[in-house]
Amino acid sequence: MNHTHGAAQPIGKKTKKWTRWIPLYLMMLPGLAYLFINNYIPMAGLLTAFKNVNFADGIWASPWATPLWKNFEYLFVTKDVWVITRNTILYNLAFITVNTAMAIFIAILICDIASKQLKRLYQSAILLPFLMSYVIVSYIVFALLSNENGLLNKTLLPALGMEPINWYASPQYWPVILVLVNFWKGIGYSCLIYIASINGIDPALYEAAELDGASRWQRIWNVTLPGIKSSVITLTLLNVGRIFYSDFSLFYQVPQNSGLIFSTTNTLDTYVYRALLTSGNIPMASAAGFYQSVIGFIVVLAVNLLVKHISKEDALF
């Protein structure tokens, strides 16, 4: 009798513990449903990368491509393959380096401000561009660079004794322009994450370092940076996973789709989009997306393995 009662009690406790989390599971349901519908169901469409899609028959009934990798060939046979691959990778490396370094720098500066009102003001100011559409951003850039009425050509360059520049026909300037635009628009998101990480560091660590005679720079180097290391690694890994992707709106809308500067603004995404507009070949576009995803996955695994080798507790998995 006692044995039966003793066995039933742990089961009752387990049941009670499970039911306690029911409200949280219910809160998760909308997000999980969205994730499943938006991210997993469309994965069935990857089949189009390996088929000659005929929409009269549907995706499933369409014949397989022969050879199976036929839809991938156009990515590698074009004479521009080196240019678009180089642009995609180098821009992403520049974005990761500049945005990470500047986001940490700005986050440290904001956390040093004593006034709470000013902190909120600066945090809102750096986040505002992140919330803007790239359509708006492209018009802001155009207002600066326009040949006829742009601020640079009509005001700043003449004041410096320089001739106006036809920005939308001069590819050499666009690597700097795109890096600056991406920095201005995207810095707010990363910066807020680093601010939250810095605020989560135990103040006693700063007090102990100060008592030991550590300078401001030494406190940043030995307390702040180690304290946000996990956040930096996580965000960097997520960005590295998209190193074969490019922000389509940044590279298509901001340069105004000017063909004269394709040598420095054309990336895998814009190339695929233009190829799709020209040929209407959806399987080719699907093949490009599949290729980018697989390469990105491999890169994330490799970088995570490297992080795991250096600092196991900071790896994603």
Side-chain angles (χ1 to χ4, degrees):
M1 183 71 181
N2 290 338
H3 177 73
T4 306
H5 179 71
Q9 194 171 5
I11 295 173
K13 284 184 178 179
K14 286 180 181 177
T15 305
K16 188 176 180 181
K17 188 176 180 181
W18 184 86
T19 54
R20 188 177 63 181
W21 298 106
I22 288 179
L24 292 178
Y25 293 144
L26 291 175
M27 290 172 64
M28 285 170 58
L29 277 179
L32 289 175
Y34 171 81
L35 190 69
F36 179 71
I37 294 169
N38 191 67
N39 291 46
Y40 285 90
I41 291 180
M43 287 177 70
L46 288 175
L47 279 177
T48 58
F50 304 97
K51 289 199 166 192
N52 291 323
V53 176
N54 180 353
F55 288 103
D57 299 328
I59 293 174
W60 305 106
S62 295
W64 293 96
T66 50
L68 206 57
W69 55 86
K70 180 182 177 182
N71 292 322
F72 294 83
E73 289 178 349
Y74 84 108
L75 282 173
F76 305 102
V77 298
T78 172
K79 58 182 174 57
D80 297 323
V81 64
W82 158 245
V83 173
I84 60 177
T85 305
R86 177 204 66 189
N87 289 349
T88 305
I89 295 174
L90 291 183
Y91 274 121
N92 277 304
L93 289 176
F95 295 161
I96 292 171
T97 304
V98 172
N99 290 6
T100 301
M102 292 305 298
I104 294 171
F105 176 70
I106 295 171
I108 291 172
L109 290 181
I110 291 176
C111 287
D112 274 352
I113 298 172
S115 171
K116 290 185 178 179
Q117 288 78 13
L118 282 177
K119 274 187 180 180
R120 293 194 191 99
L121 176 64
Y122 291 138
Q123 288 176 25
S124 301
I126 61 172
L127 188 62
L128 182 61
F130 179 76
L131 302 176
M132 286 184 186
S133 162
Y134 259 114
V135 175
I136 298 173
V137 173
S138 67
Y139 280 111
I140 293 173
V141 174
F142 185 73
L144 292 172
L145 305 181
S146 170
N147 295 332
E148 298 175 359
N149 301 308
L151 179 66
L152 288 178
N153 280 346
K154 289 298 179 183
T155 306
L156 296 181
L157 292 182
L160 296 172
M162 299 172 65
E163 291 294 322
I165 298 171
N166 188 355
W167 299 98
Y168 291 94
S170 306
Q172 67 271 26
Y173 300 111
W174 280 91
V176 175
I177 294 170
L178 291 172
V179 169
L180 288 176
V181 171
N182 179 267
F183 160 72
W184 176 74
K185 188 180 187 305
I187 195 72
Y189 175 77
S190 302
C191 195
L192 289 185
I193 292 177
Y194 295 140
I195 288 172
S197 299
I198 293 171
N199 289 334
I201 298 172
D202 188 352
L205 296 174
Y206 289 105
E207 293 171 6
E210 196 170 358
L211 288 173
D212 286 341
S215 65
R216 181 69 191 125
W217 168 248
Q218 288 172 328
R219 293 198 297 274
I220 291 173
W221 185 259
N222 295 297
V223 179
T224 305
L225 294 182
I228 64 173
K229 183 177 70 170
S230 296
S231 299
V232 174
I233 290 174
T234 301
L235 286 180
T236 302
L237 279 173
L238 293 175
N239 289 327
V240 164
R242 295 187 59 81
I243 202 165
F244 268 78
Y245 286 86
S246 59
D247 193 326
F248 174 79
S249 298
L250 171 66
F251 289 95
Y252 187 80
Q253 291 178 326
V254 173
Q256 303 285 324
N257 194 27
S258 173
L260 297 173
I261 55 176
F262 278 177
S263 61
T264 55
T265 62
N266 205 8
T267 61
L268 277 169
D269 293 274
T270 56
Y271 172 78
V272 169
Y273 177 74
R274 292 184 184 108
L276 183 61
L277 281 181
T278 305
S279 65
N281 194 322
I282 290 177
M284 286 184 179
S286 180
F290 185 81
Y291 165 72
Q292 289 172 296
S293 298
V294 170
I295 296 297
F297 179 67
I298 292 171
V299 170
V300 166
L301 288 179
V303 175
N304 186 73
L305 191 63
L306 179 63
V307 171
K308 198 172 184 179
H309 181 71
I310 299 171
S311 177
K312 192 173 182 180
E313 65 275 10
D314 293 317
L316 283 179
F317 44 86

